[in-house]
Amino acid sequence: MPREAEPSNNERVFVLQALRENLRIDGRGLDSFRDLELSFGNEYGVADVRLGKTRVLARISAEVAQPLPDRKFDGIFTITTELSPMASPAFEVGRQTDQETIVSRLLEKAIRRSNALDTESLCILAGQKCWNIRADVHVLDYDGGLVDASCIAIIAALQHFRRPDVSVDGEDVTIYTLAERVPVPLAMLHHPLCVTLSFFNGGEVVLIDSTMLEQQMSEGEVVVTANRHGEVCQIAKLGGVPTDALVLLRCVELAVGKVKELSMIIAGALEKDSKEKNVEGMAAELRADNDR
């Protein structure tokens, strides 16, 4: 089974010695994220996230489906992840690795199970028709921070997405095209984001947004999911060194602060994209030429 190249002994000694002196080899602070770049596609619901060298593309799609038998008044929301060999030689096509399973479960708990998306608003006709919203996550390049980047991409894409408007007359459902009616944004109850913290030197050194090299040397990590209001949605610690309760509380405080910063970046990117689309739309409406 393919796997990432292990760091050499010299790399390991150099990185760990730097961390003992509160230094990182890329010059960041211990509690700093890498540069975050967020862009949106021409279509609604496509978000491209670059976190350092890690790149994740999220795409939201919607189709009319039949609701689940035990959820007649709710729509359907699913998240799928794809880790291809293009991102890393450790990933294989058609074979789910342990890391892919962990990422899928963390995203599922962080976004779907925390009720970030109001599924009741996706109901069209109770027990017969509803919207099936699907979030596809494609990892294009991998250098650590996969859970954080994927969560940012999904939340940004959900806020950017617009579904077609519908009208119901008795049992007749009419779905309007984008040209007939303005599309409708999704109803979101909150915007959870993940922050991964890695432990070194017996848990005394805590890093935010570790690169793949740092991640390979970490003694454990914890994923904190919170929203911009300071509400903690999930704390996941997947093995590693035991963590003191006070250290864990400090990690939660750090994560909540970072979530507020990331939420502002996402809001700024959405506002910028909205202004650009409005300008392009007005330019198209004011053109003198037509289809005749």
Side-chain angles (χ1 to χ4, degrees):
M1 178 179 173
R3 55 185 298 180
E4 290 286 352
E6 293 289 334
S8 65
N9 291 334
N10 289 339
E11 285 178 316
R12 186 178 295 273
V13 170
F14 180 75
V15 172
L16 294 179
Q17 180 61 36
L19 290 176
R20 291 190 193 98
E21 299 175 9
N22 292 330
L23 298 172
R24 298 176 81 167
I25 56 176
D26 55 6
R28 286 184 291 151
L30 301 185
D31 59 349
S32 299
F33 268 91
R34 288 169 287 180
D35 292 336
L36 174 63
E37 297 180 17
L38 174 59
S39 59
F40 299 98
N42 293 327
E43 298 179 3
Y44 287 118
V46 179
D48 186 355
V49 172
R50 297 172 186 258
L51 187 61
K53 294 182 180 179
T54 298
R55 184 180 180 187
V56 177
L57 181 73
R59 184 185 184 91
I60 309 298
S61 57
E63 63 179 2
V64 177
Q66 187 173 359
L68 300 175
D70 57 338
R71 296 279 186 176
K72 295 182 180 180
F73 299 96
D74 288 357
I76 303 172
F77 176 43
T78 56
I79 300 173
T80 61
T81 55
E82 179 189 358
L83 278 65
S84 67
M86 178 177 66
S88 168
F91 306 142
E92 293 184 77
V93 176
R95 182 173 181 176
Q96 194 172 38
T97 61
D98 293 340
Q99 185 172 16
E100 187 171 358
T101 303
I102 291 172
V103 170
S104 299
R105 289 178 179 175
L106 288 174
L107 293 174
E108 183 86 1
K109 290 180 181 179
I111 301 174
R112 196 178 72 83
R113 294 190 186 178
S114 71
N115 295 324
L117 181 63
D118 182 12
T119 53
E120 288 187 7
S121 67
L122 302 177
C123 178
I124 301 174
L125 207 57
Q128 298 183 34
K129 292 183 179 180
C130 70
W131 286 108
N132 180 6
I133 304 296
R134 171 171 167 159
D136 292 297
V137 181
H138 304 278
V139 181
L140 305 180
D141 206 351
Y142 174 58
D143 186 34
L146 186 56
V147 175
D148 302 358
S150 300
C151 192
I152 292 171
I154 294 173
I155 293 299
L158 284 172
Q159 293 181 72
H160 186 259
F161 182 69
R162 301 288 186 273
R163 65 167 177 80
D165 195 8
V166 297
S167 64
V168 180
D169 183 13
E171 292 190 357
D172 295 330
V173 177
T174 304
I175 301 176
Y176 299 95
T177 64
L178 301 184
E180 292 174 327
R181 280 194 184 181
V182 177
V184 181
L186 298 176
M188 298 193 66
L189 301 178
H190 67 130
H191 306 123
L193 295 172
C194 295
V195 176
T196 304
L197 302 101
S198 304
F199 300 111
F200 297 84
N201 197 19
E204 294 181 6
V205 178
V206 180
L207 294 189
I208 286 181
D209 185 27
S210 299
T211 62
M212 186 171 60
L213 181 62
E214 293 170 337
Q215 196 172 315
Q216 288 175 317
M217 302 177 191
S218 70
E219 301 170 2
E221 61 183 25
V222 62
V223 179
V224 179
T225 306
N227 58 30
R228 62 185 177 185
H229 305 295
E231 299 168 338
V232 178
C233 309
Q234 170 189 227
I235 299 177
K237 188 176 184 306
L238 310 173
V241 295
T243 306
D244 185 74
L246 293 177
V247 174
L248 195 58
L249 283 173
R250 187 164 65 89
C251 291
V252 172
E253 290 178 3
L254 284 171
V256 169
K258 292 300 175 183
V259 165
K260 293 178 181 178
E261 294 178 11
L262 294 174
S263 298
M264 292 177 63
I265 294 174
I266 294 174
L270 286 167
E271 184 179 358
K272 179 182 177 183
D273 181 77
S274 177
K275 288 180 179 178
E276 291 176 354
K277 279 187 167 54
N278 286 340
V279 170
E280 292 173 1
M282 286 295 294
E285 292 290 335
L286 296 174
R287 282 187 311 183
D289 56 336
N290 51 42
D291 297 331
R292 289 183 298 174

